[in-house]
Amino acid sequence: MNSPDTIPLRKRCADALRVLAMDAVQAANSGHPGMPMGMADIAEALWRGHLRHDPADPRWPDRDRFVLSNGHGSMLLYALLHLTGHALPIDELKRFRQLHSSTPGHPEVDMTPGVETTTGPLGQGLANAVGMALAEKLLAAEFNRPGHAVIDHRTYVFLGDGCLMEGVSHEVASLAGTWRLAKLIAFYDDNGISIDGDVRGWFGDDTPQRFEAYGWTVLRDVDGHDAAALDAAIASAQASDRPVLVCCKTEIGHGAPNRAGSADVHGAPLGDAEIAATRAALGWPHAPFEIPSDVAAAWSAREAGAARRRDWQARFEAYAQAHPELARDLQRRLGNDGPDERAAAALAQACRDAEQRAAKVATRKASQDVLNIVGPAMPELLGGSADLTGSNLTDWKGHRPLTGSGTGNHVHYGVREFGMTAIMNGVALHGGFRPYGGTFLVFSDYARNAVRMSALMKLPVVHVYTHDSIGLGEDGPTHQPVEHASSLRLIPHLDVWRPADATETAVAWREALRRTERPSCLLLSRQALPHAGDGRERLAAIARGGYVLRQPAGEQVALLASGSEVGLALAAAALLAEQGIAARVVSMPCMDVFERQDAAWRASVVPRHLPRLAVEAGSTGLWWKFVGEDGDVVGLDRYGESAPAGPLAIHLGFTAEAVARRARRLLDADIAPVAGPAPAVAIAAH
């Protein structure tokens, strides 16, 4: 057994992280002690020697960002936050992974003071860190002035083998190198172990060469348990003009005499016997969750953190005197309060223009029309596309492409849908920008987990998805989305807009940019869509997610639709009128928003006393809650085919005549069979 009197203070500080992690996991009988014990020395070197943060103000704008990409090792972060003086008392560590504690199984932003992002899905923390570093670089280029570097901080990220095995790490690391994000420093926990054991059987990459090929500076073979070597590596990383990967050779579960270096310590409690043996091996005689006073004092960052923040505040006040307009705008943007008066006026103008023009236009083009008005009035907009700018139409007149020097407001992400989305999450978390990015709707599958993380973290990110139906035509079933709108609508806390015309598109943008605690998806058409309706009250009605477009006297049936099928429903209603049948038409641009309306509004829009038919060129399942058991859905519960849009719509039954026949069927007491070529049209069982 080591004697505490002979162990250097830095080693005891690192061991404090180890014992807190193993004690909390043991108390919870759940968790991952191996990574916290293995990375404790790296964490001690970074957090005590280099990380600029203030525990009393964890949202201080110019703080360094720290991201735990290997989020299963969350107890390392909780121990760091507790020891440095954040508002995370020891009782919360004792309640690790328990209901309503501030120490959930994986770190969650806005739940634990000092946690910068929600991590757990491996690789995405690294992607978020790239977004944070990008935001810092862009803000610094835009706002800093000679003698006034008010945006000047680093982003540090811990990651493991699992993060590097996930494909998103390739996408974002490639971009970080291309963008030369010199203030991004990643520490690779190279312990050779994952849940299934020794990774050599399934992870044989030359990781240093891989990152050098991306354009990173790589520091190889750093001893992750040698404090002096770690200090030297961090100093070298901070001097680089490129992003840096510090490859740290570590032992998982370091300190546990019988289980260190094995998969046994990865994701399970050590057990009482091994914990006792570990305490003896470390020379740690203290009871569970007990930190000796000298170690606690050495860890406290309150005094140093407050001094750093006060120094920055003084520098910002000097900046505000020299550049008052810049300072006001920077403060506004870092507040993430939504559009200012100028941007709000531009959004209102875009809505009025769309309604007045009443043009037949693809909603992807209508979206660009909005951006042409709003982009110049909203400097915090940071647009982008995954190599489809000319198809998504996510740029606007006067936009500036991102350059390696750190300027621009439109990002070419390349063919990296997942990486783009996770980077946008990091940009939003950093603050100062309202990010949006585009791809085809069918490729939202690639991005889906990062979209889910947008929603889980309540980030005001806008996901622009074009080519939203079989209307894209000849590209065929690989590119024709079927289940995608419904799949996105199933994600909690995500608004999915599928506008029917230019006016609905403008309102969707307005509502998405007004949101400060919720992401939005805009599903936009390739094909031109007719103007759906008029009236000054329509703009307010659209914003409620669902509204009545056509309400004839003596109505007998209701047609509900979204997007391109709203025009189809209106055409079908006209045919029915010729046959003496009065049909209400309801546009449902956003189910999510509509379902948040009061019961009276919902009942006034979707009438329960009328037979209801829903029409959407996609999966039918979610529409049944609106049409009821006696209603019907014209949808698509099969894949499409390669053909021009017009013939394809006829083949699949998306015509006004087919919709009118289905509506008449609802009014036929005998439920007579519907004539026509409709075997391809789904009549979903309910």
Side-chain angles (χ1 to χ4, degrees):
M1 174 177 173
N2 292 317
S3 169
D5 297 333
T6 63
I7 301 173
L9 180 60
R10 289 193 66 176
K11 176 66 165 59
R12 294 173 64 221
C13 284
D15 287 344
L17 299 172
R18 293 186 171 94
V19 295
L20 284 175
M22 71 180 186
D23 287 345
V25 170
Q26 186 70 19
N29 195 29
S30 174
H32 299 76
M35 185 282 269
M37 298 176 74
M39 295 196 80
D41 297 298
I42 307 170
E44 186 276 333
L46 176 64
W47 278 66
R48 290 188 63 239
H50 301 275
L51 191 74
R52 297 168 61 251
H53 67 115
D54 179 10
D57 186 1
R59 294 298 182 189
W60 162 42
D62 203 39
R63 69 193 180 278
D64 289 339
R65 270 58 169 182
F66 176 79
V67 174
L68 192 75
S69 189
N70 40 359
H72 54 274
S74 57
M75 261 312 303
L76 176 63
L77 181 51
Y78 300 148
L80 287 163
L81 294 172
H82 167 72
L83 289 170
T84 54
H86 286 74
L88 191 66
I90 194 68
D91 285 347
E92 289 300 303
L93 273 62
K94 294 177 181 178
R95 298 201 313 123
F96 177 52
R97 289 188 165 221
Q98 304 309 300
L99 185 64
H100 299 148
S101 77
S102 297
T103 49
H106 292 82
E108 295 184 36
V109 69
D110 296 330
M111 178 173 286
T112 311
V115 170
E116 299 283 3
T117 180
T118 299
T119 55
L122 293 175
Q124 287 194 64
L126 172 60
N128 296 164
V130 171
M132 293 174 186
L134 174 62
E136 191 277 342
K137 184 170 185 175
L138 290 173
L139 281 177
E142 184 176 355
F143 285 97
N144 287 352
R145 293 295 183 270
H148 297 283
V150 291
I151 300 295
D152 184 16
H153 54 267
R154 302 182 189 277
T155 301
Y156 298 97
V157 56
F158 281 9
L159 54 88
D161 291 306
C163 295
L164 296 179
M165 283 187 254
E166 289 287 357
V168 69
S169 70
H170 160 73
E171 297 182 23
V172 302
S174 174
L175 284 169
T178 300
W179 295 336
R180 298 183 75 91
L181 300 180
K183 291 183 180 176
L184 173 64
I185 300 175
F187 295 85
Y188 168 33
D189 181 27
D190 184 10
N191 61 39
I193 297 293
S194 67
I195 291 175
D196 281 352
D198 190 320
V199 301
R200 285 176 293 183
W202 48 87
F203 187 50
D205 302 13
D206 187 330
T207 296
Q209 270 197 343
R210 172 185 163 191
F211 275 76
E212 286 170 347
Y214 294 143
W216 289 51
T217 295
V218 177
L219 306 180
R220 297 167 177 253
D221 299 322
V222 176
D223 186 342
H225 303 300
D226 183 325
L230 289 165
D231 286 340
I234 294 171
S236 178
Q238 291 174 340
S240 176
D241 63 352
R242 299 181 179 188
V244 180
L245 181 71
V246 184
C247 298
C248 300
K249 291 292 184 181
T250 62
E251 180 184 47
I252 191 171
H254 186 72
N258 302 304
R259 297 177 67 178
S262 73
D264 293 339
V265 76
H266 184 285
L270 294 182
D272 292 335
E274 183 70 358
I275 285 178
T278 302
R279 275 185 155 78
L282 296 176
W284 191 271
H286 312 288
F289 299 104
E290 180 183 323
I291 303 297
S293 58
D294 63 332
V295 171
W299 264 113
S300 177
R302 282 185 169 272
E303 185 175 339
R308 290 190 184 103
R309 179 172 51 83
R310 285 194 302 268
D311 174 70
W312 177 83
Q313 189 64 45
R315 289 189 288 112
F316 186 83
E317 289 171 2
Y319 172 74
Q321 284 203 347
H323 306 283
E325 291 186 10
L326 284 174
R328 283 193 296 270
D329 195 38
L330 178 58
Q331 285 184 309
R332 177 189 67 80
R333 285 172 56 172
L334 291 174
N336 289 329
D337 294 329
D340 64 6
E341 290 184 7
R342 182 184 173 206
L347 286 164
Q349 184 64 50
C351 293
R352 289 194 298 270
D353 285 359
E355 186 71 353
Q356 290 168 4
R357 281 197 302 267
K360 182 176 182 179
V361 62
T363 52
R364 61 172 176 155
K365 181 61 176 71
S367 170
Q368 188 179 49
D369 291 341
V370 174
L371 292 172
N372 282 332
I373 297 173
V374 177
M378 196 170 181
E380 60 265 40
L381 269 187
L382 183 65
S385 173
D387 203 48
L388 288 168
T389 302
S391 294
N392 301 148
L393 303 181
T394 52
D395 55 354
W396 67 87
K397 294 176 183 176
H399 79 280
R400 293 171 289 108
L402 176 66
T403 66
S405 63
T407 60
N409 54 17
H410 190 274
V411 183
H412 294 282
Y413 287 98
V415 188
R416 301 181 180 94
E417 297 87 357
F418 192 2
M420 172 183 70
T421 310
I423 285 172
M424 289 195 299
N425 288 344
V427 169
L429 286 160
H430 180 279
F433 293 99
R434 290 298 303 270
Y436 69 88
T439 186
F440 289 170
L441 176 57
V442 75
F443 300 136
S444 65
D445 282 340
Y446 284 136
R448 182 181 171 84
N449 198 267
V451 176
R452 182 178 187 270
M453 296 304 291
S454 299
L456 182 62
M457 291 189 278
K458 301 180 180 179
L459 301 177
V461 175
V462 182
H463 308 282
V464 179
Y465 297 128
T466 69
H467 296 60
D468 72 331
S469 75
I470 58 168
L472 67 90
E474 295 88 340
D475 278 332
T478 60
H479 283 54
Q480 292 166 3
V482 173
E483 74 279 19
H484 299 76
S486 290
S487 176
L488 291 167
R489 287 168 180 151
L490 289 172
I491 297 177
H493 213 78
L494 174 69
D495 288 348
V496 180
W497 292 86
R498 188 166 184 253
D501 65 2
T503 302
E504 287 193 2
T505 303
V507 174
W509 263 114
R510 184 190 69 189
E511 296 305 302
L513 292 176
R514 281 177 173 177
R515 303 284 188 258
T516 58
E517 294 184 347
R518 179 184 295 270
S520 303
C521 293
L522 307 185
L523 314 188
L524 307 174
S525 72
R526 176 198 185 193
Q527 70 275 31
L529 304 182
H531 184 65
D534 296 300
R536 287 182 299 178
E537 295 180 356
R538 185 178 177 227
L539 296 180
I542 294 169
R544 302 191 74 167
Y547 64 103
V548 179
L549 260 176
R550 183 182 189 275
Q551 188 172 14
E555 55 188 3
Q556 298 162 270
V557 65
L559 307 180
L560 285 62
S562 80
S564 49
E565 287 70 62
V566 170
L568 188 61
L570 287 167
L575 288 178
L576 290 169
E578 293 174 2
Q579 300 163 21
I581 299 172
R584 170 188 295 209
V585 176
V586 171
S587 178
M588 190 77 72
C590 187
M591 288 183 181
D592 313 276
V593 170
F594 178 72
E595 291 188 285
R596 294 201 297 271
Q597 303 304 306
D598 59 79
W601 178 264
R602 298 197 307 272
S604 72
V605 173
V606 180
R608 298 299 175 181
H609 65 283
L610 292 178
R612 281 150 276 145
L613 174 69
V615 189
E616 186 173 66
S619 300
T620 61
L622 293 182
W623 284 99
W624 288 101
K625 60 184 172 181
F626 298 110
V627 302
E629 293 184 357
D630 296 327
D632 195 6
V633 182
V634 177
L636 195 65
D637 287 328
R638 53 153 287 181
Y639 296 113
E641 299 182 36
S642 181
L648 187 62
I650 295 171
H651 174 66
L652 295 176
F654 289 97
T655 65
E657 293 79 9
V659 173
R661 283 197 301 270
R662 294 283 279 273
R664 290 198 307 272
R665 175 177 173 174
L666 282 178
L667 296 171
D668 188 340
D670 296 328
I671 313 295
V674 179
V681 180
I683 304 175
H686 189 71

